[in-house]
Amino acid sequence: HPHPKQTMKSERALDYYFCDETGIEVFYYSYDHPHTAENYKLWTSLLAQGKRIWACAGGDKHRCASDGALTTVYAKNKKSSSLLAHIKKGDFVCGGVGIRMCIGDTLMGGMTDFLNKNLNVAVGDFHKRYYEEGHRYRFDLIDETGTVASLPFACKNPFSFNFRVNPEARFYRVEIFDETRGFRIAIGNPIWNSKYLSQG
């Protein structure tokens, strides 16, 4: 759903919900744009209601390339089929920072049983627009209750994190903040707990 809160003005989050495994353009124009803040609030409201919606990014520059709101995909090659294979599963990042996450062998955007499993995350590959020498960066691991782990790191070095998941959590996702500028610069899509699939 492109620029949802700018296209529609409803206050009911479910008015923007079409079905699970679709995306909402959260980063719009840039990570620090007021429209991004509106769309982020909508996306998190849908997550709070048990909806499995992906966070997407878009610069709305239909004829001109822009790096203001990027999507990061780890694909085998630069072909549409390879990129779309990840996008249609939700295995991509809203923002210009590389986030790779899995629980067992389930990647971002997916669903799995959380019982006796670990979450593994690797962060790196900052796009040049997002990399600022001397800035403080923060990694946040988030579930439906809020932030469950928050760690500082330097963007010069790849960062990795391993976490024993709570089998009762509904989902896990990752955000990267540039603390110096005070903005969220990347949102990894969630991995959902299959235990709750039938409960909505």
Side-chain angles (χ1 to χ4, degrees):
H1 189 161
H3 36 84
K5 290 295 283 184
Q6 293 72 58
T7 305
M8 290 172 53
K9 294 300 179 188
S10 174
E11 295 304 312
R12 288 176 18 93
L14 290 178
D15 287 347
Y16 300 86
Y17 174 74
F18 300 108
C19 64
D20 282 351
E21 299 180 341
T22 57
I24 281 186
E25 192 173 60
V26 174
F27 283 1
Y28 182 44
Y29 287 127
S30 67
Y31 56 85
D32 57 349
H33 198 281
H35 292 339
T36 291
E38 291 178 311
N39 296 335
Y40 178 82
K41 185 176 177 184
L42 170 63
W43 180 62
T44 56
S45 294
L46 287 167
L47 291 180
Q49 295 183 56
K51 304 306 179 188
R52 292 183 294 117
I53 304 297
W54 300 320
C56 305
D60 211 22
K61 303 287 186 182
H62 291 240
R63 291 195 170 95
C64 178
S66 168
D67 62 1
L70 298 173
T71 296
T72 301
V73 179
Y74 283 102
K76 289 182 181 179
N77 53 51
K78 294 180 183 178
K79 294 184 177 177
S80 295
S81 59
S82 185
L83 294 169
L84 289 173
H86 289 272
I87 290 171
K88 71 181 184 179
K89 294 186 297 188
D91 183 25
F92 61 91
V93 176
C94 175
V97 179
I99 300 171
R100 294 176 177 174
M101 183 173 79
C102 65
I103 295 177
D105 57 3
T106 301
L107 304 176
M108 286 189 298
M111 184 171 251
T112 188
D113 179 4
F114 284 7
L115 188 62
N116 299 321
K117 292 197 177 154
N118 284 352
L119 175 145
N120 293 289
V121 182
V123 178
D125 300 321
F126 277 63
H127 184 272
K128 61 186 177 182
R129 178 183 180 91
Y130 294 80
Y131 176 94
E132 293 286 344
E133 188 71 40
H135 279 209
R136 296 182 320 277
Y137 291 91
R138 189 182 81 230
F139 160 96
D140 286 349
L141 178 65
I142 299 166
D143 69 8
E144 75 279 6
T145 66
T147 302
V148 295
S150 186
L151 301 163
F153 71 99
C155 62
K156 280 195 258 186
N157 306 316
F159 172 85
S160 61
F161 183 77
N162 180 276
F163 181 81
R164 186 68 160 187
V165 300
N166 174 356
E168 301 303 316
R170 285 190 166 267
F171 62 79
Y172 284 100
R173 62 187 187 85
V174 168
E175 293 186 353
I176 305 301
F177 278 79
D178 180 330
E179 290 195 304
T180 304
R181 285 181 283 200
F183 294 114
R184 178 181 299 104
I185 60 171
I187 301 169
N189 277 304
I191 298 175
W192 282 273
N193 190 342
S194 59
K195 173 179 178 175
Y196 299 103
L197 179 60
S198 62
Q199 299 175 23

